[in-house]
Amino acid sequence: MVFGEDSLKQDLVQQQEKLNRETSPLGKVKALIKISDIHLRSASQDVKKSSLDAADRNLDLYKESVEKALKTLQSSRRNAQKNPAGFKEFEISLHRQLRLLDDLRSHYSFDQVQTIDATIAVAKAAQDAMFAEIFGPENTGQRKEKDPSHHPSQPKE
């Protein structure tokens, strides 16, 4: 399926150029979402060809783009509860991507799952962070403790 690979490479180059030109955090995140999709589609093609080393390389690139998108949104100083654009798109794409990752994981043997498990963990953490941003940590069961040294199970002195 050479055509598919070529068009993915072409899409990737276009999105990376777009990312480099983009000045708004929202535009950067949209490009990063597309880049993460491309890496995931490439990994999926690699898995179908039983080329797990190549798939792992694409999964690492996918993780990088997800982490960049997360950092970009978090450092944008936007209030996701009042203006959720970008945050919601990212969360929706992560939801879709996690389903695909879960499907890909079934093609890995027990001793080969480290990379895909780490990738799933990164995507899940980013998704959890988006929920917290959009709905507020108080509504997602991720309450932020005021005093980080105090654990609820320990009585305060």
Side-chain angles (χ1 to χ4, degrees), residues 11 17-18 41 47-48 52 68 103 119-120 124 131 136:
D11 288 351
E17 286 171 354
K18 193 180 208 176
R41 287 202 314 264
V47 166
K48 284 179 185 139
L52 296 183
K68 274 186 203 162
D103 183 47
T119 305
I120 290 170
K124 196 92 193 86
F131 276 135

Side-chain angles (χ1 to χ4, degrees), residues 132-144:
E133 293 281 342
I134 295 167
F135 300 110
E138 66 280 0
N139 297 319
T140 57
Q142 299 180 3
R143 293 181 189 277
K144 292 181 179 154

